[in-house]
Amino acid sequence: MSTTSEPLESLAPTLSVRQVLMLERVLAGEPEVVAGAAQLDRAVRWVHVAEAADVGVMLSGGEMVLTTGVLLAGDDGKQAEYIHSLHRAEAAAVVLGLGRAFPAAPDVMRRAAERCGLPMVVLHRPFPFAELTEEVQARLVRRKFAAVSMSEAVRTALTGLITAGAPLQHLLDEIAHHSGCPVVVTNLAHRVLATAGERSAVDDVLRDWERIARQAGGSEGDGWIRAELGGRGERWGQIMLCGYRGDTATGRLLADRAAESLVLHRMLGGTSAHSWEEQSAQSLLTDLVSGVVPARQLLPRARAAGLPVNRRTFVPLVVRDGDPAELDRVLRLLGLPGIVAELADGATAVLLSLARDQDAAVLTANFAARLTQTVVAAADPRTAWDDVPAGMREARHVADAVASGALDLPPVVRLKDVHLRGLIRLLRDDPHVQSFAERELDGLLCANGDDLLAVLRTYLATGRNKSRTAQLHHVSRPALYRRLEAIQGRLGVDLDDFEQAASVHIALLAHDAQQA
């Protein structure tokens, strides 16, 4: 965590013209801004005392120049050129000490400074320039040292996390702690891969992400500071500090340290920008399926992740035994906007976002047709984002219901296709259902009952077709009859009686759902 308790502003390696004018020693000289008042936030890199008329050739930019103007008195041309020379050298400001040379602010210099946008300050009381230079230089040195110390503290903290094998999110949380503002990592298309910071502040940023992303290539301002992510001549993303409150130079230093650490984390962990995209999608879809986070709060994350959300039809899918990379490839091949993420138990969630005039059923079928040896479970399309979590849970329920069932399934399985098995799946955790299953199957749940249980499962799944059951278990009809008699004897039922057979079938479905 941060090793300093200083406010972010105090770590700025520079002072602004405004801050210099607020110093006690300067206030003793009764400063007055006579031109360039709109530019008082310019950074002061150094303070320089100069009386030469051609002072501009001695500067390198960012200096606050102190002068009495003794060599400029009585020559309007020199006065104007003096200001223009400072402007060309990109000086931060000029401070004129009033006295014998100029008892009042000279109009020529004031007008020239106003036209150039150069802050011009006059001191109404005699003031020793040496005190000002000493004060400002000392403060600048301290601030530069503090900024370097902060930079090293951040580097040490992040390196420690990387060495300990911390995940990406822990690094971003540390960066957000040091910066005191939301942190966003994006790919080159400005899609959000990861975020950190106070949740409400992050949501505010993501809510306006489309505008921010459009301006991402422009100049930094208002605390929006970014650093490129990449290496070996290849760029693959960027990290952005969103609304950093401190000095821009310090923020840029912090962003650079953060970028170095993220690149190192990726190299040592063998991860890629694509894997970060997968983690982002997984987090979003997991939250949608769980329903813990309200859908409305997840909308900015979905939009920032590149999912179209305005006037769309959403198709929630869950694919059993599907490779997320293959599913993502198929989506791209078909040109279907959507996100893919692996869930638990071998299931992969897919959320399609289609235009309202597209045929959701046809496109879903096309997607399923490209996959092999998988079960594609689908919920009914949703046109409202708030209904998506319920749709994701419905698709997950359908996928669970057919996970262990030997059914003749259509290419895309929906709720109406799972029938009784789906209902039992929903009720599997009910104590009454569990007790019913145990009671009905008690004779086969003891030792050495697995073989008979398998025969019973096939017999009921085939609609009590004895020939088909014997064929599937590779036994003769007489051998099957003996096993069915043993099953009926253990359970105390007559499987030729429809109601008793149905009761056993329901109990077996409940038992299988509980085991799954």
Side-chain angles (χ1 to χ4, degrees), residues 383-465:
T383 56
W385 174 258
D386 287 346
D387 296 334
V388 170
M392 294 301 306
R393 291 192 290 273
E394 178 184 317
R396 180 65 184 268
H397 163 63
V398 173
D400 287 345
V402 301
S404 59
L407 303 175
D408 185 13
L409 301 173
V412 179
V413 187
R414 303 184 185 277
L415 191 60
K416 64 182 180 60
D417 299 315
V418 295
H419 306 295
L420 179 61
R421 188 182 298 274
L423 175 63
I424 296 300
R425 190 80 181 191
L426 283 176
L427 301 175
R428 64 179 177 177
D429 294 326
D430 188 293
H432 297 292
V433 174
Q434 294 173 354
S435 176
F436 169 75
E438 291 287 326
R439 184 172 62 251
E440 289 289 301
L441 301 175
D442 181 60
L444 295 181
L445 297 180
C446 58
N448 302 320
D450 289 346
D451 182 58
L452 294 179
L453 200 63
V455 171
L456 175 63
R457 184 179 292 108
T458 304
Y459 181 61
L460 295 175
T462 58
R464 295 182 293 173
N465 186 319

Side-chain angles (χ1 to χ4, degrees), residues 131-383:
E131 290 186 9
L132 176 57
T133 57
E134 179 184 11
E135 174 80 8
V136 174
Q137 316 303 37
R139 287 176 178 265
L140 290 175
V141 169
R142 287 199 300 270
R143 284 167 174 257
K144 289 179 180 179
F145 177 77
V148 171
S149 297
M150 182 275 295
S151 173
E152 289 306 309
V154 172
R155 175 180 284 162
T156 299
L158 295 178
T159 301
L161 288 173
I162 294 172
T163 303
L168 170 66
Q169 190 60 51
H170 287 187
L171 269 70
L172 295 180
D173 290 341
E174 184 74 11
I175 295 166
H177 172 80
H178 283 282
S179 66
C181 67
V183 176
V184 176
V185 176
T186 73
N187 62 12
L188 294 180
H190 305 302
R191 291 189 177 183
V192 174
L193 307 181
T195 63
E198 184 181 348
R199 190 71 259 168
S200 60
V202 171
D203 288 343
D204 287 342
V205 169
L206 296 185
R207 196 170 292 114
D208 200 27
W209 186 250
E210 291 183 4
R211 179 187 65 81
I212 294 172
R214 284 196 299 270
Q215 297 177 352
S219 59
E220 297 172 344
D222 297 327
W224 300 94
I225 300 173
R226 64 191 179 279
E228 301 296 335
L229 299 176
R232 299 175 182 174
E234 177 187 8
R235 291 174 53 246
W236 45 267
Q238 69 176 0
I239 181 170
M240 182 178 292
L241 308 184
C242 304
Y244 180 71
R245 299 190 305 277
D247 176 79
T248 300
T250 304
R252 192 174 296 115
L253 190 63
L254 177 58
D256 288 342
R257 294 294 85 78
E260 290 172 5
S261 298
L262 295 188
V263 171
L264 180 61
H265 180 271
R266 175 188 173 190
M267 292 174 58
L268 295 181
T271 59
S272 63
H274 182 67
S275 70
W276 287 2
E277 292 183 29
E278 292 173 348
Q279 292 174 29
S280 175
Q282 184 178 41
S283 174
L284 174 60
L285 289 182
T286 299
D287 286 344
L288 279 171
V289 172
S290 69
V292 174
V293 182
R296 184 59 52 184
Q297 293 183 19
L298 297 174
L299 186 59
R301 287 170 56 187
R303 182 183 290 112
L307 186 72
V309 294
N310 295 330
R311 297 187 56 80
R312 307 292 289 186
T313 296
F314 302 101
V315 183
L317 306 174
V318 172
V319 181
R320 276 285 172 189
D321 303 318
D323 177 15
E326 180 190 1
L327 299 181
D328 188 62
R329 181 185 61 78
V330 172
L331 285 183
R332 296 175 188 274
L333 183 66
L334 297 176
L336 297 178
I339 51 178
V340 179
E342 186 173 7
L343 303 177
D345 304 325
T348 301
V350 180
L351 180 60
L352 302 181
S353 175
L354 308 177
R356 292 283 177 87
D357 59 354
Q358 291 181 295
D359 191 323
V362 171
L363 293 177
T364 303
N366 291 344
F367 173 73
R370 296 274 183 167
L371 308 177
T372 57
Q373 298 180 340
T374 59
V375 173
V376 178
D380 291 335
R382 263 65 175 176
T383 56

